[in-house]
Amino acid sequence: MTKEEIKELVNLFAEANISKIKIKEQDGFEIELERDMCCDIPAPICPTTPAPQPINVNVVNETHSSNHTKSNNPTINSPMVGTFYQAPSPGAAPFVKVGSTVKKGDAIAIIEAMKIMNEIEAEFDCKIVEILVADGQPVEFGMPLFTVEKL
């Protein structure tokens, strides 16, 4: 075996995922390469996950809030932090629409908090004037969800 063949063999051995190789030639030449695999295997590379992007939802609601305080219409506010849903399930009809008349205790939305669906009920008899939050939008405690007109 020539010097170049030995160098090529060493390079192939380094690239291969094997721990031992032994070669014997007919002329009596013998070469054996061995390595400890526990130290030579590179650690698996974990894919980097991008940092979550912040969602700015308050800007839209602040403009709505300032408009609605001027109109003196009461609002129904979120009783908790979570995700607002207008319907009981995806594809289903929403609980209420603008112009809907609801009675005290009627379900008007759902807020998902910690994987639990919480029905939001009307606090008094009213008519929905405006829905202030988009379906699937995160909401904060006390955030206005609906502008209503008391009946």
Side-chain angles (χ1 to χ4, degrees):
M1 188 174 260
T2 67
K3 189 175 182 182
E4 294 301 317
E5 291 174 329
I6 293 173
K7 284 183 182 180
E8 187 178 332
L9 180 63
V10 170
N11 288 336
L12 287 172
F13 182 72
E15 292 173 6
N17 192 20
I18 55 175
S19 61
K20 186 175 182 178
I21 187 170
K22 186 174 186 177
I23 298 175
K24 290 184 182 179
E25 291 189 343
Q26 291 178 349
D27 63 357
F29 179 79
E30 186 177 313
I31 186 169
E32 185 175 343
L33 301 173
E34 187 175 352
R35 66 176 165 186
D36 188 7
M37 293 297 286
C38 71
C39 300
D40 291 344
I41 297 174
I45 299 172
C46 296
T48 57
T49 55
Q53 297 297 318
I55 299 172
N56 189 357
V57 294
N58 292 332
V59 174
V60 173
N61 291 323
E62 287 172 5
T63 57
H64 282 300
S65 297
S66 63
N67 291 340
H68 298 298
T69 52
K70 292 177 186 174
S71 70
N72 293 328
N73 281 340
T75 59
I76 296 178
N77 300 330
S78 175
M80 64 189 71
V81 174
T83 304
F84 175 83
Y85 295 107
Q86 294 179 353
S89 63
F95 287 105
V96 294
K97 296 179 182 176
V98 173
S100 298
T101 302
V102 294
K103 296 185 184 215
K104 181 178 180 177
D106 286 353
I108 57 173
I110 290 179
I111 294 182
E112 177 187 3
M114 297 176 56
K115 305 291 182 193
I116 297 174
M117 300 299 185
N118 302 283
E119 280 192 355
I120 307 305
E121 298 176 349
E123 301 163 4
F124 42 80
D125 292 350
C126 59
K127 178 180 175 182
I128 304 296
V129 175
E130 189 175 0
I131 300 171
L132 304 173
V133 182
D135 194 47
Q137 179 178 346
V139 294
E140 298 290 329
F141 173 78
M143 182 177 182
L145 303 175
F146 300 93
T147 301
V148 295
E149 193 176 282
K150 284 189 176 184
L151 298 178

